[in-house]
């Protein structure tokens, strides 16, 4: 198993097309047309076969989303860096435009005083799997559902907000995203942990986090 890389190693890799979100590398490319996007996906797929390491590819009208991670390690490894470099070269040769500012992911957080007690229910309900590195998460290995993680909280009476969204964006986008949410009627709850995460609330007091970086 290849060792997981840290932020320093990622920054040194020079992967300007890519952003690290939720234990994976993400890129978005605008190929110019649907046909060009299909060709880009095919070229990436051929390279993945050569390297025997396979990304998640999402072809949409107007763009291609790419996610690279090592499922057996629960995060980003050196083989992910190699694959990301290869995909960058393929996209550049195809004339696809990198749009790293457009990548984002959402995970759902559930406040609980005893996540070990409630986790089996949610794992069964979502038909989820374990994260080998983070036991307080339920993940979907197919990537169709957002990650559910359990945030520690004191015991409390209901009703009270229990779920909140963690919106993961590139660090160079986070400040703009926070400003937009505040301008749309939100309030700042805490930026004590910025730029890692900033806690916001909507006009009714429901909280959400804008997250970046490494957990």
């Amino acid at each position: 198993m290849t060792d997981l890389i840290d932020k320093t190693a990622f920054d040194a890799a020079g992967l300007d097309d890519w952003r690290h979100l939720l234990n994976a590398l993400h890129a978005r490319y605008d190929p110019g047309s649907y046909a060009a996007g299909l060709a880009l996906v095919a070229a990436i797929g051929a390279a993945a076969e050569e390297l025997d390491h396979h990304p998640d590819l999402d072809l949409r009208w107007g763009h291609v989303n790419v996610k690279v991670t090592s499922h057996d390690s629960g995060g980003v490894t050196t083989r992910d860096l190699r694959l990301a470099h290869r995909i960058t070269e393929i996209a550049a040769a195809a004339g696809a435009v990198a749009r790293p500012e457009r990548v984002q992911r959402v995970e759902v957080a559930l406040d609980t005083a005893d996540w070990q007690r409630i986790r089996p229910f949610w794992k069964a309900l979502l038909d989820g799997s374990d994260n080998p590195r983070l036991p307080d998460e339920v993940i979907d290995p197919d990537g169709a559902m957002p990650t559910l993680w359990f945030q520690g909280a004191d015991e409390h009476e209901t009703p009270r907000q229990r779920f909140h969204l963690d919106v993961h964006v590139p660090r160079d986008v986070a400040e703009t995203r926070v400003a937009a949410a505040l301008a749309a009627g939100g309030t700042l709850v805490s930026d004590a942990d910025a730029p890692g995460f900033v806690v916001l609330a909507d006009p009714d007091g429901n909280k959400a986090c804008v997250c970046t970086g490494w957990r």
Side-chain angles (χ1 to χ4, degrees), residues 21-22 26 100-106 167-170 177:
L21 302 175
L22 282 176
H26 299 265
E101 77 282 0
R102 297 295 296 163
V103 302
Q104 61 180 339
R105 301 291 288 180
V106 171
V167 181
H168 290 253
V169 300
R177 185 66 60 88

Side-chain angles (χ1 to χ4, degrees), residues 120-208:
F121 168 85
W122 289 102
K123 182 180 178 181
L125 181 68
L126 298 173
D127 192 26
S129 297
D130 299 328
N131 183 324
R133 293 197 305 117
L134 299 171
D136 61 342
E137 286 190 351
V138 174
I139 64 174
D140 177 7
D142 296 328
M145 301 287 287
T147 295
L148 172 67
W149 73 283
F150 303 97
Q151 177 169 281
D154 296 332
E155 288 283 4
H156 54 77
E157 296 181 1
T158 55
R160 170 181 156 177
Q161 182 187 359
R162 301 294 294 271
F163 280 102
H164 70 269
L165 297 184
D166 287 338
V167 181
H168 290 253
V169 300
R171 184 165 291 197
D172 49 343
V173 173
E175 186 174 346
T176 300
R177 185 66 60 88
V178 168
L182 294 176
T187 57
L188 176 65
V189 177
S190 175
D191 61 359
D193 294 286
F197 66 90
V198 174
V199 185
L200 305 174
D202 70 11
D204 280 349
N206 298 303
K207 296 177 184 178

Side-chain angles (χ1 to χ4, degrees), residues 19-152:
R19 296 294 184 267
H20 181 284
L21 302 175
L22 282 176
N23 305 309
L25 300 182
H26 299 265
R28 171 171 165 166
Y29 292 102
D30 292 353
S33 69
Y34 191 85
L38 186 60
L40 178 61
V41 167
I44 293 172
E49 285 293 296
E50 292 177 11
L51 296 175
D52 193 26
H53 190 40
H54 302 89
D56 292 339
L57 299 172
D58 178 21
L59 173 61
R60 302 295 182 99
W61 187 89
H63 67 273
V64 176
N65 298 315
V66 188
K67 174 185 174 183
V68 176
T69 190
S70 294
H71 297 286
D72 57 348
S73 300
V76 177
T77 66
T78 54
R79 63 180 182 267
D80 297 307
L81 299 183
R82 288 194 295 270
L83 179 57
H85 274 295
R86 184 71 174 275
I87 293 171
T88 297
E89 294 169 354
I90 292 169
V97 178
R99 297 293 304 276
E101 77 282 0
R102 297 295 296 163
V103 302
Q104 61 180 339
R105 301 291 288 180
V106 171
E107 65 177 352
V108 179
L110 174 57
D111 292 346
T112 176
D114 187 358
W115 62 267
Q116 292 94 338
R117 178 171 59 89
I118 68 172
R119 183 180 183 278
F121 168 85
W122 289 102
K123 182 180 178 181
L125 181 68
L126 298 173
D127 192 26
S129 297
D130 299 328
N131 183 324
R133 293 197 305 117
L134 299 171
D136 61 342
E137 286 190 351
V138 174
I139 64 174
D140 177 7
D142 296 328
M145 301 287 287
T147 295
L148 172 67
W149 73 283
F150 303 97
Q151 177 169 281

